[in-house]
Every structure is written in C-alpha cells, then in structure tokens.
Amino acid sequence: MTDYGFLSILPPVLAIILALKTKQVYVSLVLGIWLSWLIMSDWNFLEGTLATLEGFVNVFKSEGNTRTIMFSALVGALLLFIQYSRGVEGFVNQLNKLIVYFENKQSGYSRVVVQLLAFLTGMALFVETSISSLTVGTIYRPVFDKLKIPREKLAYIADSSSAPSSILIPFNAWGAFIMGLLLTQGIDNPFGVLMSSIKYNFYPIIALLLVVVVIVSKKDFGPMAKAEKRTRDTGKLLNDGSKPMISEAVTSYEPKEGIPARAFNMIVPLVTMVIMMPVWLAYTGWNNVTDATSWWNHFVTSLGEGSGSSSVLYAVTTSIVVGMILYRSQGIMRSREMVDLILKGISELMPLALLMLLAFAIGDACKALGTGQFVANWSKDWLSPEFLPAIVFIISSFIAFSTGTSWGTFAIMLAISIPMANLHGSDVTLVVAATLGGGIFGDHCSPISDTSIISSMASASDHIDHVRTQLPYALVGGIITVILYLILGFTM
C-alpha cells in the first residue's frame, strides 16, 4: 500500500473543521472524501472525482454498512408509528404524574429526575449503542421539551450514556469484537484481560460520572450553558437557524383523532426492539459456537459471536411488525395507513441515511489512505514506556476522531499498542484500557461518529450543535484521563 504520510490525515481533519465551522456537514464530508480520492489519484481531477463516486457506491459493498443505513431509515417508520398511535402522548401523560409529584416536593426537582431517568435508561441498554441512543432520545424528547430542557442536553445524555456503558459492561457485541482482537494478538485469556482493563478504562467511567454531576449539580459550562440559558429565557429548544436531524414531520406528526392515548402503544414496540436485540444477536451467532458446555453457555457465547448490524436491523423490523399487529388489533390503523406511514417515515429519515453514507465513505477513504496506520506508526520511534498509556490514549482518540469509528480504531490500535506494551515491558491491561478509552473519547468528539449521529437524530437536535455542546464535557474527561495515565505510567 502507498504511504501517503502526512497527507493521509488532511482530508478527515479538514472535513471535521469545515463541518464545525460552517455547520454544512454534508458539504464538508463530501469535500473531505473528494480530497481523499484526489490524493490517491495523484491529484488527477477527473480520476479523483470518479473515484469519489465509486467510493459512495462501494459503501454498500459492506453488508454491515448497508444494514446500518437501512436501520437508520426504518427508524423513521417506527417513530411515526408510536406518534400516530398516541403512544408517545400516553407515555408523556404517565410521566407527567411523576413530574408533578417531584415538583410538589421541590421546584425544579423534576428536571433532575427526568434527566437521571434518561441517563439510567441509556446505561441499562448497554447491549447496543444504537438501540440505547435511539430509545433514550425517542422516549424522553417530549418530556424534555415540556420541561424546557434543550435538545442538545438530551443528545448529550443519550450519547454519553451509550458507548461508555457498552465498553464498561462488555457482555455484548462490543466485548466479543474486542476479545477477538485480543486473541489475534496472542492474548491467551482475552476475557480476563478485557475485564481487568475496565478498572483502568478511565474515560468511559469519567464520562458517565460527569453526566451525573452535571445533572445533579445543575451546573453546565461552555456552549451547553448557553443552550440552557436560551431555553430558560426564550423557551427555544434549538438555536435560531438550527436544523434538527429529524424534520418536524416526524417529531410533530399529528396523532390520530378519536382514539385514547395509551402508553403501551409506544412502550410495546420499543421494548420489543430492545428485547429482540440480544435475541437476534444469539440467533445470528448460534451456529458459530462449537464448544458450548450447556444451552445457557451456548446462548451467552452466541451473543458475542452474533452480528451487531444484523441484530439492530432485525430488531427494528420486528418492532415495526409488532407495532402493526398491535395497532391493527385495536382498530387504530388499517393496512394502507400503516404502509403509508412506513414510506413517509423512511422518506423523512433520508437525510440521516445520507449522513451515514457519507460518514462510512470518509471512513473507507481514510482506511485506503492509511490514516490510522500513519498516526499509530508515527509514535513508535520516540515513545518512552512511561508515556506509553497516555500517548496510546491520545493516538487512539485522534484516529477515532478522524475516522468516526471506535471499532475501527480498536482494530488498528490494538494490533500496535499490545506489541508496544510487550516491547517496553508495560502493563498490557493498562495499555488495552488506554486504547479502548481513546476510541470512545475520539468518537464522542467526532461529528462523523455514527453513535453521535443517531443521538442527534433521536433527540431531534442539530447535529453540529450536539457536537459543540458535548465537546467541552468530553475534553474535560479526556484531559483528566491523560493526567491519570501519566501518573500510572510513571508509578507502575
């Protein structure tokens, strides 16, 4: 593979800076992708442009990418279903009783309780980050709106409670993927190493703690403080000129008239989606397990062997089918109405699917450029053992930030950081933790992260506003983490 050197990091960094500066995320990503292929085409304008178009097409060569894009589009149908059936209205009515109860105890207390409930819901759904972010945003958005909590805060809670909990409670596809990578690096006990690394995985722990501190203390800072002040003073849930990831056609879709508002019309489809996620994980991984000692052992092992992208797609499809049966049995919708809602929901989520396409395309371009490999190799010659954990964390962060994928970062960095730890005589569990934590931190800061995109979508927040408001909190966690790794690097 051609070594493009410093040029390999230019396209993703340029795309991200342009997106943050101009808020034109689609244009910025297209420019970054085009620059990537222009570099790889030896600056030939025509070849680079044609290669860019082929790059978009090649995204769909990955079954995982295609499933994720389909999942993103089908989410629109699910959201319209629970809105039109008055399920969201019924759920909000039930939560309002809880809000009144806590508000009677102490003014403003209900805001804290609802935000904590959203956070705990995100943590409880550690089985899959997309399901976690989607569920938190969908369930709590109407309640946050009622309590005049900015959409950016909901997106922050949804995003910061998903990936950190998935990496700290690794009984999911995340854990299976990481253990597979550890096994390829000659780790005899990948499960034991992964579990031992959790106590050193400081960034996810700090990120979760920071969410709780911000909620309970009611002390925000940076752009989030401005967002809170805006909503408090004007009642505006979004900045002027902001473009939420979901159109008003989805978030404010008129419920059907003449039917009662029942919470279970929202809860049943969403709970179905959440429950079916591990079921489909087990199903897709079942035949890959060959040495199980019991049925339960076979089931648990198959969770780690299953396909995450297949499982989220199958789970949301199952949820839509269950919703159709539920609403048809109550006489709420006819078959034609449901088909129309599905098509309308998919069409309204096309901007999200397009953003996913561009995020995957720039990730593929970065892989072809060797962005991650360049950044990782750059540190080999000058790195000292004392600085190894901190530098590994920073490099992993930059790769995840540039590529928008924590999993891709794990694959690149674990193949480099573990041999480096062995070479320098460093604690392998500490270096593994630094690698994993860096992937999560960079993912939290990146506007091309799929988890961040889904969090913005589910919360109906402007995506760049979400990135900007979350960034200071992520940076605080990242800086503290680097300091802790420096301390451990010199003392262990």
Side-chain angles (χ1 to χ4, degrees):
M1 186 178 72
T2 305
D3 183 5
Y4 295 98
F6 178 76
L7 287 176
S8 66
I9 66 172
L10 189 60
V13 172
L14 177 65
I16 289 167
I17 291 173
L18 283 175
L20 293 172
K21 187 73 174 175
T22 66
K23 296 188 69 172
Q24 298 294 325
V25 64
Y26 297 99
V27 175
S28 300
L29 286 173
V30 169
L31 286 174
I33 296 163
W34 178 70
L35 179 58
S36 300
W37 289 107
L38 195 63
I39 292 170
M40 287 184 281
S41 301
D42 292 327
W43 304 100
N44 184 302
F45 179 86
L46 179 60
E47 288 186 14
T49 302
L50 295 178
T52 300
L53 296 176
E54 289 299 323
F56 295 142
V57 174
N58 290 337
V59 166
F60 295 98
K61 285 186 176 180
S62 166
E63 295 175 349
N65 289 350
T66 305
R67 293 186 194 110
T68 304
I69 292 170
M70 289 177 64
F71 162 78
S72 300
L74 285 173
V75 162
L78 178 62
L79 295 178
L80 283 190
F81 268 9
I82 63 178
Q83 189 88 6
Y84 189 65
S85 67
R86 304 189 87 97
V88 172
E89 183 182 342
F91 182 78
V92 170
N93 290 341
Q94 295 299 317
L95 270 184
N96 283 339
K97 298 176 183 178
L98 186 68
I99 291 169
V100 170
Y101 172 78
F102 283 108
E103 201 64 25
N104 289 335
K105 284 184 171 293
Q106 183 179 342
S107 179
Y109 193 46
S110 57
R111 286 171 58 93
V112 174
V113 171
V114 167
Q115 290 179 75
L116 286 175
L117 282 174
F119 169 74
L120 292 173
T121 302
M123 280 204 66
L125 300 177
F126 63 87
V127 69
E128 221 294 316
T129 53
S130 298
I131 298 292
S132 174
S133 300
L134 175 64
T135 304
V136 170
T138 303
I139 287 180
Y140 291 97
R141 184 179 63 241
V143 186
F144 272 53
D145 289 356
K146 179 182 176 63
L147 293 173
K148 295 293 185 280
I149 302 172
R151 296 268 178 86
E152 296 96 324
K153 177 62 76 65
L154 177 58
Y156 163 61
I157 294 172
D159 201 352
S160 294
S161 62
S162 57
S165 60
S166 292
I167 202 75
L168 293 174
I169 314 173
F171 301 102
N172 47 31
W174 284 63
F177 178 69
I178 294 165
M179 283 188 284
L181 294 175
L182 294 176
L183 200 60
T184 62
Q185 295 305 312
I187 303 294
D188 295 329
N189 181 19
F191 180 75
V193 170
L194 177 59
M195 295 306 292
S196 298
S197 72
I198 289 174
K199 62 180 178 290
Y200 298 127
N201 204 347
F202 300 126
Y203 177 76
I205 296 170
I206 293 169
L208 293 173
L209 291 175
L210 194 57
V211 175
V212 176
V213 169
V214 167
I215 292 172
V216 174
S217 69
K218 305 178 187 177
K219 300 293 184 184
D220 289 285
F221 55 89
M224 189 71 81
K226 293 179 181 178
E228 284 280 7
K229 186 177 186 301
R230 176 202 70 220
T231 305
R232 187 170 56 250
D233 294 347
T234 68
K236 294 179 179 178
L237 299 168
L238 295 163
N239 283 321
D240 292 332
S242 293
K243 297 178 181 178
M245 286 291 295
I246 301 184
S247 68
E248 289 293 321
V250 176
T251 57
S252 303
Y253 197 78
E254 285 296 323
K256 186 165 186 175
E257 296 181 358
I259 60 172
R262 295 168 174 159
F264 66 77
N265 281 330
M266 183 191 83
I267 293 172
V268 170
L270 288 180
V271 168
T272 298
M273 180 175 65
V274 171
I275 291 175
M276 290 307 295
M277 176 64 203
V279 171
W280 286 120
L281 266 177
Y283 178 82
T284 55
W286 193 266
N287 291 332
N288 296 329
V289 180
T290 57
D291 55 352
T293 56
S294 65
W295 182 89
W296 178 249
N297 177 257
H298 196 132
F299 175 79
V300 172
T301 308
S302 65
L303 291 177
E305 296 290 334
S307 167
S309 60
S310 295
S311 300
V312 293
L313 176 60
Y314 300 165
V316 75
T317 304
T318 306
S319 176
I320 290 171
V321 171
V322 168
M324 293 174 74
I325 296 170
L326 179 66
Y327 306 143
R328 190 73 180 86
S329 65
Q330 297 176 67
I332 294 175
M333 303 180 206
R334 295 182 177 179
S335 300
R336 184 167 184 173
E337 279 182 293
M338 289 188 283
V339 171
D340 288 343
L341 280 177
I342 290 173
L343 294 176
K344 184 171 182 57
I346 291 173
S347 67
E348 292 295 338
L349 265 290
M350 275 300 105
L352 171 66
L354 176 60
L355 186 55
M356 283 287 189
L357 168 66
L358 295 176
F360 288 136
I362 199 167
D364 290 343
C366 288
K367 185 176 180 181
L369 275 171
T371 302
Q373 203 67 41
F374 167 75
V375 175
N377 291 337
W378 168 70
S379 67
K380 278 185 176 180
D381 296 331
W382 55 267
L383 191 60
S384 65
E386 292 80 12
F387 291 99
L388 182 61
I391 296 298
V392 163
F393 176 80
I394 292 171
I395 294 172
S396 292
S397 302
F398 186 76
I399 293 173
F401 178 79
S402 301
T403 61
T405 166
S406 50
W407 281 35
T409 300
F410 300 158
I412 292 168
M413 279 302 296
L414 285 174
I416 296 169
S417 61
I418 291 176
M420 289 174 71
N422 293 330
L423 178 67
H424 291 295
S426 300
D427 187 329
V428 172
T429 56
L430 179 60
V431 173
V432 167
T435 305
L436 302 181
I440 301 296
F441 171 55
D443 200 57
H444 270 177
C445 298
S446 177
I448 59 175
S449 158
D450 56 350
T451 308
S452 294
I453 292 170
I454 290 175
S455 297
S456 298
M457 179 274 294
S459 306
S461 170
D462 181 281
H463 181 52
I464 297 301
D465 285 346
H466 164 48
V467 174
R468 283 176 169 167
T469 50
Q470 179 168 269
L471 190 58
Y473 298 119
L475 288 174
V476 167
I479 291 169
I480 295 172
T481 299
V482 170
I483 293 171
L484 290 173
Y485 283 140
L486 285 172
I487 293 171
L488 287 178
F490 280 93
T491 57
M492 288 185 67

